[in-house]
Amino acid sequence: MVNSPIKSPLSDADKEITGNALQATLVDLVDLSLIAKQAHWNVIGANFRNAHLQLDELVTTARLYVDQVAERANAIGVSPNGQAKTVVESSGSPAFPDNWQSVESTVAAIVDILSTLIERLRKRIDETDKSDLVTQDLLIEITRALEEAHWMWQAQQAV
C-alpha cells in the first residue's frame, strides 16, 4: 500500500486486509450501479414500468454504498479507486447483455448478478472479522440491503 497522509487506526496488516475488502466492494458496487442503469435504459416488455423503477432503486442503493465504502477506505488511510479502468479490470460481476432485454431476461440477469455480489460480500465479511469490525459492520449492512433487493428480484421469478 502507498504511504497515506491519513493515519490509520489499524495495524499495517489489518489495514491491508481491510483496504483490499473495501476496494473490491467499491468496484463491485460501481459496476452494479452501471449495470443496473444499463438495464434500466434497455428493459422492455410487460411490466416494463415496474422493472424500470426497481432498477433505479438498485442504482440508488449501489451509489449510496459506493460513497460509504470509499469514505471508510479513506478513514483507514486507504485511497479508494473507482476509475472506469479499475472497475473493468477487477469487478466480479457477471456481464449484462447489450441492447434491449425483456423484463424476464433482465430479472434473471439481475438475480444472477446480485447472487454473485452477495457471495463475494459474505467472503469479505469473514475476511474482516479480525482486521476491522467497523468495516465488517458496513459490509454486513450492504449485504443486508443487497439480499433484500435479491429477494425482491427473485420474487418476480416465482410462479
Side-chain angles (χ1 to χ4, degrees), residues 47-64:
N47 297 317
F48 155 80
R49 182 162 170 73
N50 288 337
H52 185 75
L53 295 173
Q54 192 174 7
L55 286 160
D56 258 350
E57 291 172 4
L58 189 55
V59 170
T60 299
T61 298
R63 287 179 178 167
L64 167 72

Side-chain angles (χ1 to χ4, degrees), residues 10-72:
L10 306 177
S11 70
D12 288 345
D14 287 346
K15 178 179 166 181
E16 183 172 356
I17 291 166
T18 304
N20 289 340
L22 287 165
Q23 179 60 38
T25 302
L26 177 77
V27 166
D28 283 351
L29 290 172
V30 168
D31 200 21
L32 176 60
S33 72
L34 295 171
I35 288 168
K37 195 47 101 168
Q38 176 70 18
H40 168 86
W41 294 324
N42 286 286
V43 66
I44 56 172
N47 297 317
F48 155 80
R49 182 162 170 73
N50 288 337
H52 185 75
L53 295 173
Q54 192 174 7
L55 286 160
D56 258 350
E57 291 172 4
L58 189 55
V59 170
T60 299
T61 298
R63 287 179 178 167
L64 167 72
Y65 288 116
V66 160
D67 200 48
Q68 290 184 24
V69 167
E71 289 178 359
R72 180 66 192 151

Side-chain angles (χ1 to χ4, degrees), residues 10-155:
L10 306 177
S11 70
D12 288 345
D14 287 346
K15 178 179 166 181
E16 183 172 356
I17 291 166
T18 304
N20 289 340
L22 287 165
Q23 179 60 38
T25 302
L26 177 77
V27 166
D28 283 351
L29 290 172
V30 168
D31 200 21
L32 176 60
S33 72
L34 295 171
I35 288 168
K37 195 47 101 168
Q38 176 70 18
H40 168 86
W41 294 324
N42 286 286
V43 66
I44 56 172
N47 297 317
F48 155 80
R49 182 162 170 73
N50 288 337
H52 185 75
L53 295 173
Q54 192 174 7
L55 286 160
D56 258 350
E57 291 172 4
L58 189 55
V59 170
T60 299
T61 298
R63 287 179 178 167
L64 167 72
Y65 288 116
V66 160
D67 200 48
Q68 290 184 24
V69 167
E71 289 178 359
R72 180 66 192 151
N74 275 312
I76 65 163
V78 174
S79 175
N81 184 344
Q83 296 179 64
K85 178 181 176 183
T86 303
V87 173
V88 168
E89 291 173 351
S90 56
S91 173
S93 298
F96 187 83
D98 291 339
N99 298 312
W100 294 285
Q101 299 297 314
S102 69
V103 170
E104 294 79 13
S105 65
T106 299
V107 169
I110 295 297
V111 166
D112 184 45
I113 289 163
L114 287 171
S115 178
T116 299
L117 295 184
I118 289 164
E119 181 180 323
R120 290 167 56 86
L121 275 162
R122 285 186 163 272
K123 286 179 185 173
R124 292 180 206 130
I125 289 168
D126 289 342
E127 292 167 2
T128 55
D129 183 51
K130 301 286 187 237
S131 66
D132 183 32
L133 294 177
V134 176
T135 295
Q136 184 189 51
D137 186 54
L138 175 59
L139 297 177
I140 290 169
E141 180 183 339
I142 296 165
T143 303
R144 183 213 47 82
L146 293 185
E147 285 180 350
E148 181 179 6
H150 188 235
W151 152 60
M152 291 184 177
W153 284 97
Q154 288 181 85

